[in-house]
């Protein structure tokens, strides 16, 4: 995309799981779509994510409308995966083996009782297990595990494979993906939106009828838009990759750590949750905590190899809920702030954003996540 000004129906800023999922859905609805990515596709949080599709986590701290959106997205996942895989021909390593919560002491046991009750209230299958039953389905668990909760409705996907598969699927349905090209500014000119983009060859302009902001945590960093500031901030997450003999068959977790198995004997231990600005360096303390917590559950990991320590920045706004919808600028839309759930929420976000950008209708499911709530909040803060 060098030189002269170009025109597209829809320009999407950011090639993470959210930008790519929306691009795929919009292109399938007949729009010409260009994704502009400052680095390479998947540079952001999306390829760091553990890929757990688990709405059960921290349910009491999550507003009911967000739980509803998570469940909606979980239901859409099998079809979403099938569409992405058949369009682009790449596997996403989608698995439906469930999550096994494990308990080490009485506090954990009470937490699992509570989680079990919540799952039942939602009509989702959950099976409470004794220590012996828990260890019978995952024989490498520590003998100190005294109970478990098997949540079969939780699924998982390999987020790196998902991003690669989405990229292939987007290309197959005609999306143009422009990498190593940062959008510096967006403004309205002559009834269209103009994006000033910076690529190796210099600066050029891209004109679009509509623009979707899906720049993750960088929404307000190096990108000038007509939007008021909404306080997007990074929440750093470190995740340790181990490799060796396969030890578990499904996601294991407790309140301190999760352990995610991937094909080929890989185990992911995650994740830290840190307010460190844009720092993306792994630390000794973060790694130590993850290894220690995971070792308590699964002592056999002592002999595995450390293959990688990865760091990602989760995009979050003040209330930790996503921001999905139109903005006060005609043609400018936003899909961001997915915090710890962007992989899970990708199918629903893509569906409702595509519906919005093609029909103008804000679906009831995403109405609570509009940008206005944040603008009003920040105005109140400034006034008070
Ligand atoms: C350790 C960790 C574990 C996680 N585990 C899970 C999990 O198990 N399940 C789950 O659902 N979620 C999980 N998440 C959260 C999930 O990763 C995020 O919610 C999701 O990836 C956000 O996707 P995104 O597309 O909005 O942002 P990103 O993936 O960050 O993509 C944004 C993209 O925009 C590009 N960009 C930025 N500015 C510009 C610009 N000016 N011009 C052009 N391009 C630009 C960036 O380069 C980047 O590629 C996890 C996150 C972390 C860090």
């Amino acid at each position: 995309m060098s030189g002269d000004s170009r025109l597209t129906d829809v320009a999407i800023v950011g090639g993470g799981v959210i930008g790519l999922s929306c691009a795929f859905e919009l292109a399938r609805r007949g729009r010409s779509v260009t994704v502009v990515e400052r680095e390479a596709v998947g540079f952001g949080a999306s390829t760091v994510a553990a890929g757990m599709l688990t709405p059960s986590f921290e349910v009491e701290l999550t507003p009911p409308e967000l739980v509803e959106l998570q469940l909606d997205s979980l239901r859409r996942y099998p079809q979403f995966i099938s569409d992405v895989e058949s369009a682009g021909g790449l596997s996403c390593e989608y698995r439906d083996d469930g999550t096994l919560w494990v308990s080490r002491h009485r506090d954990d046991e009470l937490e699992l009782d509570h989680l079990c009750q919540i799952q039942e209230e939602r009509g989702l299958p959950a099976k409470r297990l004794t220590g012996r039953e828990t260890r019978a389905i995952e024989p490498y668990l520590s003998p100190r595990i005294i109970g478990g909760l098997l949540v079969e409705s939780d699924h998982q996907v390999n987020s790196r494979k998902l991003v690669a598969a989405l990229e292939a699927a987007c290309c197959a349905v005609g999306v143009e993906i422009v990498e190593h090209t940062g959008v510096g500014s967006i403004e309205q000119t002559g009834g269209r939106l103009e994006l000033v983009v910076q690529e190796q060859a210099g600066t050029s302009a891209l004109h679009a009828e509509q623009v979707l902001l899906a720049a993750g945590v960088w929404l307000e960093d190096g990108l000038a838009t007509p939007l008021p500031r909404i306080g997007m901030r990074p929440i750093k997450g470190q995740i340790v990759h181990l490799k060796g003999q396969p030890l578990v068959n499904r996601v294991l977790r407790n309140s301190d750590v999760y352990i995610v198995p991937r094909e080929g004997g890989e185990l992911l231990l995650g994740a830290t949750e840190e307010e460190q600005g844009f720092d993306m360096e792994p630390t000794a303390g973060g790694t130590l905590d993850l290894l220690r917590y995971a070792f308590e559950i699964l002592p056999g990991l002592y002999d595995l190899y450390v293959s990688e320590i990865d760091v990602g920045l989760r995009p979050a706004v003040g209330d930790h809920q996503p921001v999905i919808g139109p903005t006060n600028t005609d043609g400018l839309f936003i899909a961001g702030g997915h915090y710890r759930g962007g992989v899970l929420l990708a199918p629903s976000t893509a569906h409702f954003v595509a519906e919005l950008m093609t029909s103008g209708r804000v679906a009831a499911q995403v109405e609570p996540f509009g940008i206005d709530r944040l603008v009003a909040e920040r105005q109140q803060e400034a006034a008070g």
Side-chain angles (χ1 to χ4, degrees):
M1 191 174 69
S2 64
D4 324 320
S5 143
R6 298 246 335 271
L7 178 64
T8 181
D9 288 349
V10 179
I12 297 184
V13 184
V17 70
I18 297 299
L20 293 174
S21 302
C22 294
F24 179 58
E25 202 54 48
L26 282 158
R28 292 202 307 154
R29 295 180 191 214
R31 311 303 303 277
S32 82
V33 182
T34 303
V35 174
V36 187
E37 166 55 52
R38 188 162 54 192
E39 309 286 342
V41 154
F43 167 83
S46 302
T47 47
V48 181
M52 294 175 297
L53 311 174
T54 56
S56 60
F57 184 49
E58 284 193 345
V59 74
E60 47 295 49
L61 301 177
T62 312
E65 53 274 16
L66 182 52
V67 174
E68 278 312 309
L69 191 67
Q70 292 172 338
L71 292 172
D72 177 275
S73 211
L74 187 66
R75 283 192 290 272
R76 290 180 193 276
Y77 240 99
Q79 187 61 50
F80 173 70
I81 293 293
S82 150
D83 291 345
V84 169
E85 289 185 343
S86 53
L90 296 182
S91 160
C92 304
E93 200 184 321
Y94 174 66
R95 297 168 57 161
D96 60 2
D97 328 283
T99 300
L100 181 61
W101 288 79
V102 296
S103 69
R104 302 149 294 179
H105 42 60
R106 196 160 156 267
D107 277 1
D108 281 353
E109 281 285 281
L110 292 175
E111 193 185 337
L112 294 198
D113 286 343
H114 183 54
L115 253 177
C116 185
Q117 185 194 332
I118 289 166
Q119 289 289 117
E120 274 166 13
E121 279 165 16
R122 288 211 220 115
L124 294 173
K127 214 181 288 167
R128 198 70 171 86
L129 305 171
T130 63
R132 186 186 294 255
E133 288 165 341
T134 308
R135 291 191 303 274
I137 58 172
E138 290 292 353
Y140 286 98
L141 280 173
S142 160
R144 294 187 163 184
I145 296 302
I146 60 167
L149 178 73
L150 182 61
V151 180
E152 284 174 326
S153 52
D154 284 352
H155 297 168
Q156 71 176 97
V157 66
N158 181 324
S159 61
R160 289 183 181 173
K161 290 191 177 174
L162 173 64
V163 169
L166 271 168
E167 183 180 6
C170 279
C171 293
V173 296
V175 174
E176 186 187 8
I177 299 179
V178 189
E179 295 183 295
H180 306 292
T181 301
V183 177
S185 65
I186 300 168
E187 59 183 65
Q188 219 174 22
T189 52
R192 290 208 180 103
L193 290 157
E194 182 182 80
L195 297 85
V196 175
V197 299
Q198 186 69 44
E199 49 201 326
Q200 268 175 354
T203 301
S204 63
L206 172 67
H207 290 97
E209 302 292 339
Q210 296 176 314
V211 173
L212 176 69
L213 296 168
V217 81
W218 298 274
L219 176 76
E220 295 176 328
D221 186 68
L223 172 61
T225 73
L227 299 186
R229 289 190 79 80
I230 59 170
M232 184 68 74
R233 75 183 203 284
I235 311 279
K236 177 179 176 182
Q238 305 186 43
I239 194 160
V240 176
H241 292 233
L242 303 179
K243 220 167 174 159
Q245 184 200 355
L247 295 180
V248 293
N249 304 307
R250 54 181 63 71
V251 174
L252 303 179
R253 70 185 302 168
N254 62 16
S255 49
D256 293 323
V257 72
Y258 53 75
I259 302 177
V260 176
R262 283 187 177 168
E263 275 172 10
E266 195 180 15
L267 277 190
L268 274 58
L269 317 182
T272 65
E273 184 95 14
E274 304 165 62
E275 298 272 0
Q276 298 289 346
F278 285 86
D279 173 26
M280 289 183 72
E281 291 296 317
T283 63
T287 309
L288 175 70
D289 282 348
L290 294 172
L291 286 169
R292 188 160 48 95
Y293 293 141
F295 177 74
E296 267 184 38
I297 301 177
L298 200 65
L301 61 75
Y302 192 87
D303 291 321
L304 301 184
Y305 298 101
V306 177
S307 55
E308 197 178 331
I309 301 169
D310 209 1
V311 179
L313 301 177
R314 306 173 183 91
V317 291
D319 61 10
H320 289 174
Q321 296 185 51
V323 193
I324 302 170
T327 69
N328 286 338
T329 300
D330 272 353
L332 185 60
F333 299 83
I334 185 166
H338 288 79
Y339 184 38
R340 286 196 290 198
V343 179
L344 168 60
L345 289 171
S348 285
T349 303
H351 174 80
F352 293 119
V353 164
E355 189 173 288
L356 167 66
M357 291 178 75
T358 49
S359 74
R361 198 176 74 83
V362 179
Q365 290 90 331
V366 289
E367 217 177 331
F369 308 110
I371 193 170
D372 286 348
R373 75 183 199 275
L374 301 165
V375 177
E377 199 175 273
R378 289 183 79 78
Q379 278 166 352
Q380 273 167 12
E381 272 169 24

